[in-house]
Amino acid sequence: MELVFLGPPGAGKGTHAQMLCKKAQLAHLAAGDILRKNVKDGTPLGIKAKAVMESGALVSDELVNNMMFDAIRSLRGFKGFVLDGYPRTLGQAEALEKFLTGQKMSLTAAINFDASEKVVVERLSGRRGCPKCGKIYHVKNMPPKRENVCDVDGETLTTRKDDEPETIRHRLKVYHESTKPLIEFYRKRQLLQDVAADGDAPSVQKVLEKFFEKLS
Ligand code: AMP
């Protein structure tokens, strides 16, 4: 099963991709996570991407496309993948389609996480993450067992630099201008599945699992 997760930052794409991938043996390919790892490791890609990411703008299509194609090509032993936060522009969506056709693959569905601006801002400003294993928490909605400490490995949780209020506003603007048109792109291809994403994580996950059963 080859899925794309669409939606504004804070819609829950990462949280739900983590849960679904674990259950269904799918690879979770999160463009933002792969970019952040490159920044942390100081790779040539990370050096180019760092300032752009901190400002809340998008890294160039060419860099992100190549990065994601490499990630897909090197997958082994999974039953498919979830692309989380990719594609994010029409150019990326077209390039992905061409790439998958060349690999004799195609998308099963594009899941659109439909979340309101109010909910998204609240989620992003309370979001915390484990710098070691990547597990995502929320100070109110999904707190760790011990305050500010990862349940999995005991690391101190961190806040992403681009989750500051000013940068959140910019990221939402970028979403509306560059990424929202992908909803129509995938609807035209009859791949779009809308999921109401304002609810809490367990109820959204239930809806997703139903979709997943239907698609399998
Ligand atoms: P995310 O973790 O998905 O919120 O992504 C964090 C940041 O990484 C974004 O604000 C962008 O700067 C960059 N990024 C992630 N995915 C993409 C993409 N598909 N295209 C361009 N930039 C991206």
Side-chain angles (χ1 to χ4, degrees):
M1 176 146 331
E2 280 69 41
L3 300 173
V4 159
F5 277 14
L6 286 177
K13 303 185 297 295
T15 302
H16 291 291
Q18 280 180 354
M19 293 192 212
L20 188 67
C21 288
K22 208 168 157 192
K23 258 193 192 154
Q25 286 173 262
L26 302 177
H28 178 199
L29 300 180
D33 289 350
I34 303 175
L35 284 167
R36 275 185 290 280
K37 176 145 190 344
N38 275 277
V39 172
K40 201 172 155 202
D41 295 348
T43 67
L45 168 61
I47 292 165
K48 284 187 195 140
K50 186 171 189 280
V52 181
M53 290 174 74
E54 283 176 4
S55 75
L58 293 181
V59 177
S60 80
D61 283 357
E62 198 194 343
L63 288 179
V64 176
N65 286 335
N66 289 331
M67 175 188 91
M68 295 306 284
F69 300 164
D70 283 348
I72 294 172
R73 271 195 218 98
S74 47
L75 288 179
R76 300 282 179 277
F78 290 98
K79 292 185 174 167
F81 55 71
V82 171
L83 302 181
D84 163 9
Y86 176 83
R88 246 168 157 116
T89 65
L90 280 173
Q92 291 179 14
E94 281 158 4
L96 173 66
E97 194 169 60
K98 216 166 140 191
F99 168 77
L100 291 177
T101 306
Q103 302 285 310
K104 301 202 171 12
M105 293 169 94
S106 59
L107 292 176
T108 316
I111 313 266
N112 176 38
F113 288 74
D114 192 7
S116 68
E117 190 128 339
K118 183 173 169 279
V119 167
V120 156
V121 170
E122 200 266 332
R123 281 191 192 147
L124 290 176
S125 44
R127 177 160 71 178
R128 301 288 180 272
C130 174
K132 194 168 170 197
C133 72
K135 191 168 162 61
I136 305 163
Y137 300 87
H138 186 278
V139 287
K140 268 199 282 179
N141 308 338
M142 253 197 312
K145 290 188 187 102
R146 268 175 59 209
E147 198 181 330
N148 225 28
V149 174
C150 180
D151 296 345
V152 180
D153 48 38
E155 283 286 313
T156 302
L157 302 181
T158 52
T159 306
R160 278 169 46 175
K161 260 202 178 134
D162 60 352
D163 281 345
E164 309 285 347
E166 182 81 357
T167 319
I168 290 174
R169 273 193 291 278
H170 186 58
R171 287 164 68 207
L172 287 172
K173 187 165 171 272
V174 169
Y175 167 75
H176 284 290
E177 287 170 3
S178 304
T179 311
K180 226 175 163 189
L182 297 190
I183 295 175
E184 285 317 310
F185 178 93
Y186 286 117
R187 204 191 301 281
K188 269 193 200 140
R189 284 157 176 75
Q190 297 183 325
L191 289 172
L192 197 81
Q193 303 270 4
D194 284 303
V195 171
D198 271 357
D200 59 21
S203 52
V204 176
Q205 189 67 21
K206 262 190 205 144
V207 177
L208 263 183
E209 279 171 11
K210 271 203 195 120
F211 268 140
F212 188 76
E213 278 163 25
K214 216 169 70 185
L215 293 169
S216 312

